[in-house]
Amino acid sequence: MAKLTAQELIDAIKELSVLELNDLVKACEEEFGVSAAAGVVVAAAGPAEAAEEKTEFDVELTEVGAEKVKGIKVVREVTGLGLKEAKDVVDGAPKVVKEGASKEEAEDIKKKLEEVGAKVTLK
């Protein structure tokens, strides 16, 4: 088996899920007869979770802006809602316009709404 450099080992650990990382810690404890402090496990789990890029976004209309009618039209376009339902979304701001959108779709919706003066937050 080829030896890994310290950086290669760290990079490999960064790719692990939280459960895989937990298994690694348990295996190290058993192999070397040591006990890892809980703080070490939590600290190590943080970067692994942060490395996972978010894939789904909620698009929230936070403010309508001066162009309310245009905002309603955009909401209708991106959601497929009827006029009354789209108006209710705009009137109810802050309100989630689309849940679980891909990054590209969320950015596209945000751009369209901002073009008509609305303020949008991606969550």
Side-chain angles (χ1 to χ4, degrees):
M1 183 169 130
K3 280 192 167 185
L4 295 175
T5 66
Q7 187 58 49
E8 290 171 331
L9 186 57
I10 290 170
D11 290 341
I13 290 172
K14 285 181 180 179
E15 297 296 320
L16 296 177
S17 71
V18 174
L19 292 176
E20 292 168 329
L21 190 58
N22 189 38
D23 290 343
L24 174 63
V25 170
K26 286 180 183 177
C28 288
E29 287 175 339
E30 290 174 15
E31 179 70 24
F32 301 110
V34 295
S35 179
V40 173
V41 174
V42 172
E49 289 181 62
E52 295 177 25
E53 187 174 335
K54 188 171 182 178
T55 58
E56 290 188 351
F57 296 85
D58 292 343
V59 182
E60 180 183 69
L61 176 66
T62 52
E63 288 183 33
V64 180
E67 302 286 341
K68 181 178 174 181
V69 173
K70 290 180 181 178
I72 293 170
K73 288 180 181 179
V74 172
V75 169
R76 286 187 70 195
E77 174 191 336
V78 299
T79 62
L81 293 173
L83 179 61
K84 183 183 181 328
E85 292 83 6
K87 182 180 181 301
D88 290 344
V89 168
V90 170
D91 288 341
K95 189 94 168 173
V96 174
V97 175
K98 181 92 173 186
E99 291 180 343
S102 68
K103 184 175 184 176
E104 296 79 24
E105 182 183 17
E107 290 290 338
D108 184 51
I109 294 169
K110 180 179 180 182
K111 180 182 171 209
K112 287 178 180 179
L113 285 166
E114 287 178 343
E115 284 175 356
V116 295
K119 290 187 180 175
V120 179
T121 305
L122 299 181
K123 296 183 173 186

